[in-house]
Amino acid sequence: MSNESISSNSQTDWQRLDAMSDEDIDLSDCPEITPELFTKATVRRGLPAAKNKP
């Protein structure tokens, strides 16, 4: 098993991403968030808190 971090394999152009403004982001394939969407939503909570050992 390799000890190399998987983050070093990123092919993301982080400089270009950091330079983008909100207007540059294409949201055309994202559904519109409507009140009806929230009425159908399911609340999912994280993992239960770990119990402290005495």
Side-chain angles (χ1 to χ4, degrees), residues 22-39:
D22 288 347
E23 292 77 25
D24 294 333
I25 300 172
D26 178 15
L27 300 174
S28 63
D29 62 341
C30 298
E32 182 180 343
I33 298 175
T34 63
E36 293 80 23
L37 181 69
F38 281 104
T39 61

Side-chain angles (χ1 to χ4, degrees), residues 1-45:
M1 191 162 172
S2 174
N3 289 333
E4 183 179 335
S5 172
I6 60 171
S7 63
S8 65
N9 296 331
S10 174
Q11 296 179 1
T12 302
D13 185 352
W14 292 108
Q15 290 179 339
R16 183 179 68 84
L17 206 61
D18 286 339
M20 290 176 73
S21 67
D22 288 347
E23 292 77 25
D24 294 333
I25 300 172
D26 178 15
L27 300 174
S28 63
D29 62 341
C30 298
E32 182 180 343
I33 298 175
T34 63
E36 293 80 23
L37 181 69
F38 281 104
T39 61
K40 295 178 183 178
T42 302
V43 176
R44 297 183 184 218
R45 298 178 189 249

